[in-house]
């Protein structure tokens, strides 16, 4: 580890901290203020879109079940549309390379992946999808899945922070309004500026056919072209992660300079971090939001320190060949180096982004353990757009319950009692996640269809399986690249994992919101446990770590932990 490396990490976090309050305030005005920003410019567009969605009926406040039904129906039709586009891309426009239709299993996997904000890719974008499929099929979901995640987070926040009326408040907002405002006022304007910045740095943005070139050595080479900058902007800002090119953000046409690398990492954390401040504003106590931000920040620094320390060590397998090393540079871009690669890997798996500027499969055993654990903690370390906030709030429910048991009082949060119904829903949310990951990993580890895709045996092969299903269920999308996932078994099983990890967990979240929104607010008393200070932040961090550690530690012990032990002993698989 070097001073320059640590300065990069500190600079990155300082920028995240700097944008949290202003962007969080802006988000509050977009979603909760009586009048949205630029009402004379964007207001007519919002009203037109909502009129097309059903007029006044589309703007009435919804109960949690109505909100969930609208979200599920919208996602289903979007997924079907993306599937059809892929299957018909050979007859659709903007396909200068004449790429054929995508196969059924891969089309299902890709449609499920982008619908759920996972953006797992079992294909190479430049050789599989046309410009039309990338722009109309995938970019649509890059916007809408991020906007839907923000909507769910806001619905849960309203459940905790709204004061009931005389007859009891039962509504949580309106899905269509939240979806339109998130896209129109937040994602689109930021992405326009972001895309122009990327173009200025050398990221491609064109509709040209691929270039056929001859290198200085006389070898024929094909350079892929395409509308990359516009896709890259929402890929990062919406914590989507799907790369236009197979190499993702390690490709110089997607991420050409250290400056673009820094801005891409910042854009991954920007909205998730800002939503914590938005939540504090909604709770009428910004300290509530800063307590969540502090818990996320502490977990982030632990992870990036561990990853940077591990990748700064020599690779045991290379060291055994008596090759001089300055750290583990395998699978990393020289223009970024070890510190920026370790930081990017931590950021992209803290958030449910999944974009990569280095190959995680080439990290050391402990270096690869960090991204895996980040996802297994539930993607609550800032997390995805919206998903990070509602995930950490579920952990808050568990922490408040534990605090209530410790002080011998009925658990309360923001003056509302946490009762048996909320705890059952919170535990359902917590248990679905490991059930899907460990269940599907077990099936893949003992079935010929699962094992046939592995390029590595032993503990690392198990790590690849565990990483794939963790990434899919956590809606992250990054991968240990040694696994060939483009087979019917992997495409279908990972598609099902992604759908379960998104929608089977959103439903309990909205149910918690619906249960909490109508409850009376009890004034704080002498025995009330404060949830806006350092003590609660520490308790929340412990709950997040314990839930993840107790659940996944046995599986991790058989994968990256034992791989590290064997590597230290000189045994390489």
């Amino acid at each position: 580890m070097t001073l320059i490396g640590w300065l990069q990490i500190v600079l990155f976090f300082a920028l995240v901290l700097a944008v949290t309050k202003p962007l969080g305030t802006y988000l509050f005005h977009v979603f909760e203020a009586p009048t949205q920003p630029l009402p004379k410019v964007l207001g007519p567009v919002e009203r037109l879109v909502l009129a097309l969605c059903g007029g006044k009926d589309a703007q009435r406040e919804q109960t949690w079940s109505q909100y969930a039904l609208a979200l599920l129906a919208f996602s289903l039709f979007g997924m079907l549309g993306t599937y059809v586009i892929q299957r018909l891309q050979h007859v659709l426009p903007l396909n200068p390379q004449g790429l054929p239709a995508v196969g059924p299993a891969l089309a299902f996997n890709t449609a499920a992946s982008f619908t759920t904000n996972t953006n797992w890719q079992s294909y190479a974008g430049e050789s599989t999808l046309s410009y039309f499929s990338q722009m109309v099929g995938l970019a649509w979901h890059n916007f809408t899945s991020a906007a839907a995640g923000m909507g769910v987070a806001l619905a849960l926040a309203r459940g905790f922070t709204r004061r009931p009326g005389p007859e009891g408040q039962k509504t949580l907002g309106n899905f269509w309004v939240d979806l339109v405002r998130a896209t129109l006022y937040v994602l689109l304007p930021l992405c326009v500026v972001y895309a122009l910045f990327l173009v200025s740095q050398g990221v491609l943005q064109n509709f040209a056919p691929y270039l056929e070139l001859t290198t200085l050595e006389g070898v024929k080479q094909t350079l892929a072209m395409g509308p990359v900058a516009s896709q890259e902007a929402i890929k990062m800002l919406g914590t989507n992660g799907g790369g236009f090119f197979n190499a993702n953000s390690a490709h110089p046409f997607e991420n050409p300079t250290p400056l673009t690398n820094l801005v891409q990492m910042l854009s991954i954390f920007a909205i998730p971090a800002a939503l914590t401040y938005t939540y504090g504003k909604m709770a009428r106590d910004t300290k509530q939001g800063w307590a969540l931000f502090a818990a996320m920040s502490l977990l982030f620094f632990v992870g990036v320190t561990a990853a940077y320390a591990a990748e700064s060590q020599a690779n045991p397998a290379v060291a055994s060949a008596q090759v001089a090393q300055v750290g583990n540079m395998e699978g990393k871009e020289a223009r970024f180096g070890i510190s920026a690669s370790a930081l990017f890997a931590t950021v992209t798996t803290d958030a449910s982004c999944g974009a990569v500027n280095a190959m995680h499969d080439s990290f050391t055993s402990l270096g690869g353990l960090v991204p895996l654990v980040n996802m297994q903690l539930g993607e609550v370390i800032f997390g995805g757009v919206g998903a990070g906030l509602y995930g950490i709030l579920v952990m808050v429910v568990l922490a408040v319950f534990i605090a209530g048991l410790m002080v011998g009082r009925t658990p309360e949060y923001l003056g509302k009692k946490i009762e048996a119904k909320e705890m059952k829903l919170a535990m359902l949310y917590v248990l679905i996640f490991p059930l899907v990951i460990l269940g599907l990993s077990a099936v893949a580890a003992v079935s010929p269809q699962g094992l046939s895709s592995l390029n590595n045996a032993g503990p690392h092969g198990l790590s690849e399986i565990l990483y794939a299903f963790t990434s899919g269920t956590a809606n992250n999308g990054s991968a240990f690249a040694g696994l060939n996932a483009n087979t019917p078994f992997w495409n279908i099983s990972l598609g099902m994992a992604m759908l379960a990890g998104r929608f089977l967990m959103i439903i309990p979240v909205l149910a918690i919101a619906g249960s909490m929104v109508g409850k009376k607010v009890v004034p704080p008393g002498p025995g009330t446990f404060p949830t806006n200070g350092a003590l609660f932040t520490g308790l929340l961090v412990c709950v997040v770590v314990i839930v993840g550690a107790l659940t996944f530690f046995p599986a991790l012990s058989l994968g990256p932990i034992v791989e590290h032990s064997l590597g230290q002993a000189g045994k390489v698989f």
Side-chain angles (χ1 to χ4, degrees):
M1 294 190 286
T2 65
L3 177 61
I4 296 297
W6 275 111
L7 287 176
Q8 292 180 31
I9 295 171
V10 171
L11 172 62
F12 162 75
F13 187 77
L15 291 173
V16 172
L17 183 61
V19 303
T20 295
K21 182 176 179 178
L23 183 55
T25 302
Y26 176 76
L27 293 175
F28 177 79
H29 285 291
V30 167
F31 294 106
E32 295 298 302
T35 303
Q36 282 61 53
L38 299 175
K40 294 183 179 180
V41 179
L42 297 178
V45 180
E46 178 189 351
R47 289 190 291 273
L48 175 61
V49 175
L50 290 174
L52 295 175
C53 293
K56 293 184 178 180
D57 289 337
Q59 300 179 52
R60 291 195 179 96
E61 292 250 332
Q62 297 171 321
T63 63
W64 80 265
S65 57
Q66 292 169 334
Y67 200 103
L69 183 60
L71 175 103
L72 293 173
F74 177 79
S75 301
L76 173 62
F77 281 104
M79 179 176 168
L80 292 175
T82 302
Y83 178 85
V84 171
I85 288 173
Q86 293 176 86
R87 297 289 290 139
L88 297 178
Q89 78 170 5
H90 60 296
V91 298
L92 293 172
L94 293 176
N95 186 9
Q97 299 306 116
L99 296 173
V102 180
L106 180 57
F108 163 75
N109 179 278
T110 305
S113 177
F114 281 77
T115 300
T116 58
N117 199 245
T118 307
N119 299 58
W120 171 278
Q121 294 172 291
S122 296
Y123 60 88
E126 60 265 50
S127 60
T128 306
L129 294 181
S130 67
Y131 297 163
F132 188 90
S133 295
Q134 295 261 27
M135 294 171 59
V136 179
L138 305 190
W140 165 264
H141 285 296
N142 285 349
F143 282 96
T144 58
S145 64
M150 276 193 272
V152 174
L154 290 164
L156 181 58
R158 290 169 187 141
F160 285 126
T161 61
R162 280 189 171 180
R163 303 298 193 260
E167 298 179 359
Q169 179 75 42
K170 296 295 183 181
T171 58
L172 300 166
N174 183 283
F175 171 74
W176 307 110
V177 173
D178 290 338
L179 182 76
V180 170
R181 288 180 179 174
T183 305
L184 182 62
Y185 292 95
V186 182
L187 298 176
L188 277 173
L190 291 176
C191 283
V192 169
V193 177
Y194 193 177
L196 291 174
F197 162 76
L198 292 175
V199 170
S200 74
Q201 295 296 301
V203 178
L204 292 181
Q205 182 68 23
N206 59 48
F207 293 104
Y210 293 0
L211 297 180
E212 300 291 339
L213 304 176
T214 302
T215 67
L216 294 176
E217 293 82 9
V219 178
K220 296 290 185 181
Q221 182 178 359
T222 301
L223 288 183
M225 299 284 108
V228 182
S230 56
Q231 314 299 298
E232 191 74 11
I234 187 59
K235 155 191 165 179
M236 294 301 188
L237 195 66
T239 62
N240 294 286
F244 192 94
F245 300 110
N246 189 41
N248 210 283
S249 287
H251 198 293
F253 289 171
E254 283 197 31
N255 188 14
T257 67
L259 178 58
T260 60
N261 192 65
L262 175 63
V263 173
Q264 287 187 9
M265 290 188 292
L266 174 62
S267 61
I268 293 173
F269 267 12
I271 295 177
L275 281 170
T276 62
Y277 189 80
T278 303
Y279 176 73
K281 293 274 288 183
M282 294 173 68
R284 303 170 185 84
D285 179 8
T286 55
K287 289 184 179 180
Q288 297 289 342
W290 286 120
L292 303 183
F293 182 91
M296 294 174 174
S297 300
L298 179 59
L299 291 167
F300 160 73
F301 273 109
V302 171
V304 74
T305 300
Y308 188 21
E311 294 308 300
S312 297
Q313 304 301 313
N315 188 315
V318 179
S320 65
Q322 297 182 340
V323 177
Q325 300 179 74
V326 293
N328 179 34
M329 279 297 295
E330 180 189 348
K332 298 178 178 64
E333 285 291 308
R335 67 185 189 278
F336 300 140
I338 291 173
S339 61
S341 299
L343 176 59
F344 201 112
T346 305
V347 169
T348 198
T349 51
D350 281 341
S352 61
C353 183
V356 296
N357 75 345
M359 297 302 103
H360 294 182
D361 198 41
S362 297
F363 277 32
T364 62
S365 303
L366 295 184
L369 176 67
V370 172
L372 187 54
V373 170
N374 285 343
M375 294 183 290
Q376 290 175 345
L377 293 180
E379 299 272 21
V380 297
I381 311 173
F382 295 103
V385 171
L389 180 60
Y390 67 69
I392 197 70
L393 286 176
V394 173
M395 294 297 122
V396 165
V397 171
L398 297 179
V400 167
F401 177 75
I402 292 172
L405 293 178
M406 293 170 64
V407 299
R409 284 175 54 93
T410 302
E412 296 176 7
Y413 184 56
L414 301 184
K416 297 185 177 183
K417 292 184 178 181
I418 304 295
E419 298 176 298
K421 181 179 179 180
E422 293 79 44
M423 285 308 303
K424 290 176 182 177
L425 291 168
M427 290 310 302
L428 179 62
Y429 177 96
V430 169
L431 292 174
I432 286 171
F433 188 63
L435 178 64
V436 175
I437 294 172
L438 297 177
L440 290 175
S441 295
V443 172
V446 298
S447 64
Q449 295 87 347
L451 295 174
S452 64
S453 292
L454 294 179
N455 290 327
N456 296 277
H460 195 73
L462 177 61
S463 297
E464 290 176 348
I465 293 174
L466 189 62
Y467 195 106
F469 284 115
T470 300
S471 178
T473 309
N475 300 142
N476 183 273
S478 63
F480 269 10
L483 174 71
N484 172 27
N486 193 11
T487 66
F489 171 83
W490 283 100
N491 278 326
I492 294 172
S493 61
L494 282 170
M496 298 303 294
M498 291 182 279
L499 292 170
R502 177 74 164 181
F503 299 113
L504 290 186
M505 298 177 73
I506 278 179
I507 292 173
V509 167
L510 291 174
I512 291 173
S515 177
M516 294 296 296
V517 70
K519 292 192 174 185
K520 294 182 179 180
V521 177
V522 179
T528 300
F529 185 77
T531 57
N532 58 1
L535 182 61
F536 180 74
T537 296
L539 177 62
L540 179 59
V541 169
C542 291
V543 169
V544 171
V545 172
I546 290 172
V547 168
L550 292 181
T551 305
F552 292 103
F553 183 76
L556 295 173
S557 298
L558 298 174
I561 295 176
V562 72
E563 183 184 0
H564 171 74
S565 301
L566 293 172
Q568 294 296 103
K571 299 177 182 179
V572 180
F573 283 84

